[in-house]
Amino acid sequence: MTLLDDDIDDLLRTFRADEALLDHMTRARIWARICDEVPDAPTAFDALALRPGVRALRRRTPPGGRARRLGVAAAVLVLLAVAGLAVRSGSGDDTVAAGPTTEAVVPRTLLELADAVAIRPVGELGASDETRYTHQVVTYHLQDGGSEGTVRTEERWVAKDGSGRQVYSLPVNTDRQFDPGDLLLGGLPPDVAVSLPDDPDRVAAELDEHGQATDRDASNTVIATLSFAGLPGPARAGLLRFLDRIGFMAVSTPGVRPSLLRVEGPGPDGSTMQADFDLLTGEVVASTSSSPDGRSDVRTYTEVDLRVDRGQ
Amino acid sequence: MPVDDHHEASAAAGFSAVYEQHVDAIYGFLARRVGAQLAEELTAQTFVEALDRHDRYDPERGPIGPWLFGIAANLLRRHYRQEERALRAIAAYAGRQPHVGEDDEERIESRIVADERWPAVAEALLAMSPGERDVLLLYAWADLPYSAIAGVLDVPVGTVRSRLSRARGRLTAILGPTSSSSEDASDPPAPDQIGRRR
């Protein structure tokens, strides 16, 4: 057998080639490591030498995002909200119980989001025995990058038969009843949400299709209230796979806990959207959306979070 | 936006672009040599060191890619033992035949041929000095021309040629005889040829 040098090179190129592939998750973890190791406050010399500080790096959307994912990203956060509440429903609880997040996790998470302008506990939504799920989405419209804005909220109740009530504020208040199979304001058919915990592959397909079809409004931040308490492991894994597929970045939160992931992706109008997952429990402990001007809005899920974050 | 913030943002944008352009190649090179877990750490270190040493990079001396590989190669030197452990593990599979279903044979034939040879390749890589291995793998996996490899390893181009020749000799001694007709070691491949290799 005669081997040419080219044959050797070709053979070498196949050697361990599978290990050379860089997936989204790893790429984002590497980026996070770099951000962690760059000094938080670069010296004046560094700044003059155009050495980016971590603030500037973190303000950038992690590399690899695509503009067309924006609608998908927003839709995913909305549906994740629905998913969590869909799973939690059935317990009959009228209030949202504090999640199993520990104090070791929550304070650091929220401190990292210290520029939050709004942290609100959620749990006042009413739910009857007939309620299948409820959720609230709060959208902040920042005006011209200013500090003042308006707030849109959406609240939704869905009964076991698929009918329900949806309240949407801004630009005009709406309060409508819907029947099973109706398309809700915002375009989310309730049956998609209901299917979420049971069939992650179908959910991924539905989310994908829905997100691409959604014409998002001009808001530059979207905040969803999220909880995956009780979400079955396969469904959680499916969601994470899907998040990865559409380009969300799952980044470990250094120094906090290995199981805590920060999922980050592009949001509308250049904003960056994040959700902090506790993978041990499947619960999202906080979500945030950062607008291009550096302003962030944060949504946390439990009253415990609120007390800890304010720290007084 | 204050001037410093503007500069900082510009620098971050530039760094982000460099990261996006080169992270796959750097990670791929490192992952093949020391595995995914350590490669993740070393890739991050490579870019952090690039930031720290950015004032030492001279664009007139060449593109930034080989410069990044130089940093990565330096970091790798602390982990040769780990690389060799992985190679020994692969070499230990020598003689084991992959299980292949009858219907699959044609479809994955080329893959099997490669798989069957991997233990031998690993054995040959183990038999090389770290310097020879560096040259061979920077050539085959990083697609660097001789002059860039010389810059990465801080050795003369002639040393690159001789190491590459010896490395190929060790491979062919195990895999089979070679005929060096396709590329003479004294004649570096043209950049466009390198670009077409992947």
Side-chain angles (χ1 to χ4, degrees):
Chain A
M1 178 180 182
T2 299
L3 282 178
L4 303 177
D5 287 349
D6 280 349
D7 296 329
I8 291 177
D9 293 343
D10 288 342
L11 183 60
L12 279 172
R13 284 185 201 110
T14 65
F15 185 69
R16 305 187 80 179
D18 291 347
E19 297 184 52
L21 300 175
L22 180 59
D23 58 49
H24 285 308
M25 307 272 277
T26 308
R27 176 191 285 255
R29 281 199 304 272
I30 293 170
W31 180 257
R33 278 176 183 264
I34 294 168
C35 289
D36 287 339
E37 294 194 30
V38 175
D40 212 354
T43 65
F45 174 82
D46 285 339
L48 286 173
L50 299 186
R51 185 186 193 281
V54 71
R55 286 179 297 117
L57 289 178
R58 282 182 172 151
R59 278 201 295 268
R60 295 191 58 76
T61 298
R66 289 180 297 167
R68 76 175 184 84
R69 294 177 181 140
L70 300 185
V72 180
V76 166
L77 282 185
V78 171
L79 278 174
L80 292 184
V82 177
L85 287 156
V87 170
R88 197 184 54 252
S89 69
S91 66
D93 284 347
D94 285 350
T95 58
V96 177
T101 53
T102 66
E103 291 193 2
V105 174
V106 174
R108 174 65 182 268
T109 302
L110 296 179
L111 286 174
E112 287 187 348
L113 308 174
D115 56 348
V117 296
I119 298 177
R120 297 179 181 178
V122 173
E124 295 81 13
L125 293 178
S128 70
D129 289 343
E130 293 300 308
T131 299
R132 204 163 184 178
Y133 59 85
T134 65
H135 86 280
Q136 181 183 54
V137 177
V138 182
T139 305
Y140 291 79
H141 292 254
L142 302 180
Q143 296 167 341
D144 298 324
S147 59
E148 296 300 321
T150 52
V151 177
R152 179 178 68 194
T153 63
E154 178 192 351
E155 296 179 2
R156 189 182 305 172
W157 293 262
V158 180
K160 287 179 179 175
D161 66 357
S163 63
R165 177 168 172 253
Q166 183 182 33
V167 179
Y168 219 158
S169 72
L170 197 79
V172 293
N173 292 330
T174 62
D175 185 349
R176 65 186 288 256
Q177 303 291 323
F178 56 85
D179 295 322
D182 277 359
L183 204 63
L184 302 180
L185 292 176
L188 304 181
D191 58 336
V192 171
V194 171
S195 74
L196 197 56
D198 303 321
D199 186 354
D201 289 331
R202 182 189 161 209
V203 170
E206 297 273 12
L207 289 172
D208 205 352
E209 181 181 353
H210 172 76
Q212 290 176 9
T214 299
D215 183 16
R216 298 300 301 176
D217 61 25
S219 64
N220 61 356
T221 57
V222 173
I223 302 169
T225 301
L226 309 172
S227 174
F228 291 130
L231 187 66
R236 187 165 68 241
L239 286 170
L240 291 174
R241 279 202 308 274
F242 174 72
L243 288 170
D244 181 47
R245 185 152 63 86
I246 67 168
F248 268 75
M249 301 297 180
V251 183
S252 61
T253 306
V256 180
R257 196 159 108 182
S259 61
L260 190 66
L261 289 185
R262 173 161 300 167
V263 176
E264 182 172 302
D269 291 349
S271 66
T272 300
M273 306 172 77
Q274 295 177 336
D276 290 326
F277 289 69
D278 182 341
L279 286 184
L280 290 181
T281 64
E283 176 150 357
V284 172
V285 296
S287 63
T288 184
S289 177
S290 303
S291 58
D293 62 4
R295 178 171 175 173
S296 296
D297 292 321
V298 175
R299 193 80 177 164
T300 61
Y301 202 69
T302 70
E303 292 183 0
V304 173
D305 295 354
L306 183 65
R307 288 199 303 270
V308 173
D309 182 53
R310 295 200 166 154
Q312 288 111 16
Chain B
M1 180 182 281
V3 172
D4 281 357
D5 280 357
H6 176 72
H7 282 181
E8 197 172 304
S10 299
F15 177 74
S16 174
V18 168
Y19 175 82
E20 192 162 359
Q21 187 176 354
H22 296 285
V23 66
D24 291 80
I26 297 291
Y27 172 84
F29 178 72
L30 291 169
R32 281 172 145 179
R33 297 196 61 172
V34 294
Q37 193 171 2
L38 183 54
E40 186 175 320
E41 178 185 335
L42 294 182
T43 303
Q45 283 183 28
T46 298
F47 283 93
V48 169
E49 290 205 14
L51 277 171
D52 286 339
R53 304 186 203 167
H54 75 282
D55 53 342
R56 299 185 207 170
Y57 169 61
D58 180 2
E60 293 185 0
R61 294 183 61 186
I64 199 167
W67 186 69
L68 292 171
F69 273 110
I71 296 172
N74 271 332
L75 293 171
L76 263 179
R77 289 190 182 120
R78 304 169 199 164
H79 301 280
Y80 279 147
R81 285 185 181 177
Q82 181 149 347
E83 177 180 30
E84 291 178 352
R85 274 199 300 273
L87 291 172
R88 273 195 291 274
I90 296 169
Y93 277 82
R96 291 179 58 173
Q97 297 299 318
H99 174 73
V100 182
E102 199 170 308
D103 296 338
D104 299 329
E105 286 183 5
E106 191 171 342
R107 183 169 58 82
I108 59 174
E109 182 180 358
S110 59
R111 176 64 182 269
I112 294 169
V113 170
D115 285 350
E116 286 175 340
R117 290 184 171 187
W118 285 358
V121 172
E123 191 180 336
L125 290 172
L126 273 169
M128 295 174 194
S129 70
E132 291 167 0
R133 199 158 57 225
D134 279 342
V135 167
L136 179 69
L137 298 183
L138 281 167
Y139 181 82
W141 290 349
D143 271 348
L144 297 183
Y146 299 161
S147 58
I149 295 172
V152 165
L153 300 177
D154 197 20
V155 297
V157 173
T159 302
V160 171
R161 292 181 185 131
S162 59
R163 285 183 184 176
L164 186 61
S165 177
R166 282 199 300 274
R168 282 177 166 153
R170 294 187 194 280
L171 270 169
T172 53
I174 292 177
L175 295 170
T178 184
S179 168
S180 297
S181 57
S182 62
E183 279 179 358
D184 189 281
S186 64
D187 185 18
D192 63 328
Q193 290 177 309
I194 294 166
R196 279 190 272 110
R197 293 198 308 174
R198 277 189 179 161

